[in-house]
Amino acid sequence: LLVIEMAAENPTGVDLYARFAFAGACCCAITHGALTPVDVVKTRMQLSPEIFNTGFLGGFKQVIATEGAGALMTGFAPTFAGYFLQGAFKFGGYEFFKKQWVDKLGMDEARNNRQLIYLTSSASAEFFADVALCPLEATRIRLVQDPKFAPGLGSAASRILKEQGLINGFYSGFVPMLLKQVPYTMAKFVVYESLADKAFAATGKPRTELPNSQVIGINLLCGVGAGIAAALISQPADTLLSKINKSATAGGSGSIPSRLMNLAREYGFKGLFAGTGARCVMVGSITAGQFAIYGDIKRVLNATGGTEIAAAPRT
């Protein structure tokens, strides 16, 4: 990875977590932004399965044939901006909450409960990340669903706010986003941490003594496994999020939970897992890239003071 080396003393406190947040913001914005075409096809398959029913590659061809290649980048601006914010809260928050648990429990107790710490830390971080992401994700979905809705991010957000208001326009998908993103992030971090622990232990050397290329390779491979697991767990909620953001009346006119239940009954098990293959490709690639980029940017920023919870020694 090409990065600009930055000299820094060992950062602590706010400075350290700001670096974690910046590394997380960059890795999420870059990976999600780069895979915007995949997300466009996946979203079209979820929103209009009766039209986009020729598979993942067929969906690419359909979009290009009917709207041109440029349509594959629809929603890039809200995707990049939204995931820049989300990544800062997700990765920075994960490191922060993990440290709080270790400080509270002590390292010995934390080692014995490290999986629980990974799960609770990632869930807490994701909640705040979703508060930041939800408005931009709602805007992205509206632009992908109807490219003529508005010419860009600012105008689309302004129209949604004017026509639907803050809550209905930007946060009607907050509950399904939590249902999607929180399990997704919990699986993502706990699977990654578990795979990485085993992979690094198999080298027989501390991480700090391994060449950077090997560390990046391990991060990539572990990220693929974590991404696929996370994609499968969160797929139904991802479909519901796309559906409820499609229009103000999707799922009826009742409360958000009742609308979600109506949509789930309408589409059933098969419908909720529409686009799973495309999403596994997308999320597996995204997650692999995220952990590789995140680790490398942390190295460059000298953000090496994170909390590592080693496995409890066997007795």
Side-chain angles (χ1 to χ4, degrees):
L1 296 175
L2 296 177
V3 289
I4 300 175
E5 296 289 346
M6 298 175 62
E9 299 298 328
N10 293 328
T12 59
V14 174
D15 186 16
L16 176 62
Y17 290 103
R19 295 175 194 226
F20 288 147
F22 179 74
C26 290
C27 77
C28 286
I30 291 169
T31 52
H32 281 276
L35 286 174
T36 295
V38 177
D39 208 23
V40 167
V41 175
K42 183 265 299 181
T43 303
R44 295 287 178 86
M45 291 172 69
Q46 291 174 327
L47 295 177
S48 304
E50 70 283 358
I51 298 174
F52 293 89
N53 54 11
T54 58
F56 181 52
L57 293 178
F60 263 97
K61 295 176 181 178
Q62 283 181 270
V63 172
I64 294 172
T66 57
E67 303 174 46
L72 292 173
M73 293 304 294
T74 302
F76 172 79
T79 296
F80 189 91
Y83 283 97
F84 188 90
L85 289 174
Q86 191 224 28
F89 282 101
K90 176 185 290 190
F91 282 85
Y94 177 67
E95 300 282 3
F96 173 79
F97 286 117
K98 189 167 62 169
K99 179 68 162 57
Q100 303 313 301
W101 275 113
V102 172
D103 287 347
K104 181 176 181 178
L105 297 176
M107 182 55 76
D108 289 339
E109 189 66 20
R111 284 171 176 164
N112 293 325
N113 295 279
R114 67 187 189 284
Q115 304 294 347
L116 182 60
I117 291 175
Y118 297 151
L119 290 170
T120 55
S121 298
S122 57
S124 300
E126 186 58 47
F127 176 85
F128 294 102
D130 289 347
V131 173
L133 173 63
C134 199
L136 289 154
E137 180 68 358
T139 304
R140 181 197 70 81
I141 290 174
R142 185 61 63 86
L143 286 171
V144 172
Q145 188 266 331
D146 181 9
K148 297 180 180 179
F149 180 77
L153 170 59
S155 55
S158 178
R159 180 176 173 184
I160 291 172
L161 182 63
K162 180 179 180 181
E163 294 180 359
Q164 296 180 245
L166 177 65
I167 301 301
N168 287 334
F170 293 122
Y171 284 97
S172 62
F174 185 63
V175 173
M177 175 171 280
L178 288 178
L179 293 175
K180 178 189 83 167
Q181 289 294 133
V182 171
Y184 162 85
T185 299
M186 292 169 73
K188 170 179 173 176
F189 278 105
V190 76
V191 172
Y192 169 79
E193 296 276 17
S194 298
L195 293 176
D197 280 348
K198 292 180 175 60
F200 283 112
T203 66
K205 296 181 180 180
R207 298 189 191 191
T208 54
E209 295 181 8
L210 295 174
N212 190 51
S213 59
Q214 188 173 2
V215 173
I216 291 175
I218 290 174
N219 285 335
L220 283 169
L221 290 175
C222 295
V224 170
I228 292 174
L232 293 173
I233 287 173
S234 59
Q235 175 64 24
D238 182 66
T239 300
L240 289 175
L241 179 64
S242 295
K243 299 293 185 185
I244 203 167
N245 278 318
K246 183 177 181 179
S247 72
T249 58
S253 58
S255 65
I256 291 175
S258 67
R259 291 170 61 195
L260 290 173
M261 291 298 295
N262 290 339
L263 288 170
R265 283 193 292 266
E266 179 182 351
Y267 289 97
F269 181 85
K270 183 177 180 180
L272 292 177
F273 279 89
T276 298
R279 190 159 184 265
C280 281
V281 171
M282 181 185 73
V283 176
S285 302
I286 283 175
T287 307
Q290 282 178 358
F291 281 113
I293 294 170
Y294 180 64
D296 211 43
I297 292 179
K298 284 200 304 178
R299 177 186 62 81
V300 170
L301 297 178
N302 197 30
T304 57
T307 302
E308 298 293 341
I309 310 174
R314 296 186 178 183
T315 58

